[in-house]
Structures are given as structure tokens and as C-alpha cells.
Amino acid sequence: MDAKIISTKNRKAQVTLFVIMALVILAVLLLFVALPKIKIPSVVTKISDPSSFIEQCIAEAGKKAVNLLIENNGYLEAPFHILYQDKKVPYLCYNKNFYQPCIPQNPLFIQHLEKEITSYVKPKISACFDSLALEAEKKGDKIELGAMEVKTSLGDKVNIIVNRNLKLSHLDAVSAISQFRAAFSSPLYSLASLAGEIVAQEARFCNFEYLGYMILHPQFKIEKTQVGSINNQSIIYKIKDKKTNQAMALAVKGCSLPQSF
């Protein structure tokens, strides 16, 4: 009888041990699954790799700026515009007079976009440098920062270059960096170039043959919509990059005819 009791206790102990082991294994597996989702604050890498930290900051701010410009049709603050589907659509070509073709309102549209990106990212990049300096001071390191210059250029990629002297002294080691940069893909340049082509043809011919353009450039989808009254009519062009599905809109008003026509 005693042997049976001991045997039963052993089995219970073994079952308990197996349950504990199973729970430990399950906990380890859950940890491995969750680990990639745990974000380590970037503050950890600021001092060890200041260049990567600042360049990541530039890229994040730049992408936000570009997306905002596309969503808001090329402007952080809309200038002269028309409301269409509850969104502000800027007039890129306009003439209030009858018969006369529209006049380009922003002939340097790409340069305008570059300036908009620069103005948006500059304070955010400056804040990243301030955060880096604060972290260095907490660790007892010495950091020296020079004047900052930000340049943006649009092309196949968005390129943002930050010129700023940074000197970091850690114990007996001194590191110096003078330039930081980031580059990323965006359809902003191609959409802006298409907008410029539309404006150029509307200003010259009072028309843009969008169907033919789409045949030659199948990467774009273009929609043309007439809005307003007969004698105060505008055209809304919606241009979309098919690869990214990102789209912008622009308004044109020119070559209007009096109501009698």
C-alpha cells in the first residue's frame, strides 16, 4: 500500500514537473515572438552612432514632409485655390479674363517643393541635434555643434543634405562629422513634372490632351473634371502615380467663354 502511495506521488510530481517545463517553454516561445515587436528607444544608439541617429531623423522628417505635400497638392499652406471634394486644390494656372489662356502661377514648382520640404524638416532635424546634445551631457560627454544648413533636391529620389559640424568628445576619443544625408524614393518629382507639363500646355493651347499622354506614359492615371458655372469654369486635374497610388490635384482656369457662347 505504501509503495502504491509513493508511486502515485512520484507520478504527480512528474506531471507537475512536465507542466512547469511546458510553461517555461511556452514563455520562451512567446518572448521570441514578441521580441521583434519591442522597439528599443533610439536614445540608446544616439551617442554610439550619432551619424546614423541624425540621418534616420532626416529620413523620417523628409518622408513626412513629402507625404504631406502630396496629400495637400504641393503646398503646406494652400495659396490661391478652389475647394473640390472638401480639399483645397491650388490654381497652378489662372486667368479671370475671357478668351485668354491661363497664366502659370508657380512656374518654379519643383523648386517650390524643395523649399517646402526644407522648411518642414529643418526644425525637426534641429530638435534631433538638441536631443543628441542633451544625451551626451547626461553621459558626461562633450559635444560641440556648428551652424546648420539644410538642402533638398528632388529627382528620382528625394535627397536631403544637412551640413553641420559636430564634434563629440568621449573620454580620450574625439569624433567629428560635418555632413549628414538621407535619400528615399517618392513619386513627388514625377507628379510635379507632370503638373508642369499640364500647365505648360494649358497656357499655350488652352488644353492638355490627357488621354494621349496616358497612352505614352502608362505609369500615370489622369482625371480631368470641369467645375463651376458656364462663364466661370475651372478644370481640375487629378494625377496619380499607379505604382504607389499617391495622387495630387491641380486647378486651371483660362480661355473662358462668355455665357452667350
Side-chain angles (χ1 to χ4, degrees), residues 59-79:
E60 289 176 358
K63 289 174 183 178
K64 286 181 182 179
V66 167
N67 288 333
L68 276 173
L69 285 170
I70 293 176
E71 290 170 11
N72 291 286
N73 303 315
Y75 291 85
L76 296 177
E77 294 292 337

Side-chain angles (χ1 to χ4, degrees), residues 30-46:
L30 289 173
L31 180 62
F32 275 106
V33 171
L35 192 59
K37 298 179 182 179
I38 299 174
K39 293 184 178 180
I40 300 172
S42 58
V43 72
V44 175
T45 61
K46 286 180 185 178

Side-chain angles (χ1 to χ4, degrees), residues 29 39 44 52 55 60-61 74 107 112 118 153 161 205 217:
L29 289 174
K39 293 184 178 180
V44 175
S52 294
E55 289 180 350
E60 289 176 358
H112 152 77
T118 298
S153 60
I161 297 175
F205 306 114
H217 303 86

Side-chain angles (χ1 to χ4, degrees), residues 168-182:
L168 180 64
S169 302
H170 175 71
L171 298 177
D172 294 330
V174 178
S175 58
I177 311 169
S178 60
Q179 190 176 86
F180 309 83
R181 60 175 64 220

Side-chain angles (χ1 to χ4, degrees), residues 2 61 92 101 108 194:
D2 293 341
L92 293 190
L108 301 177
L194 172 53

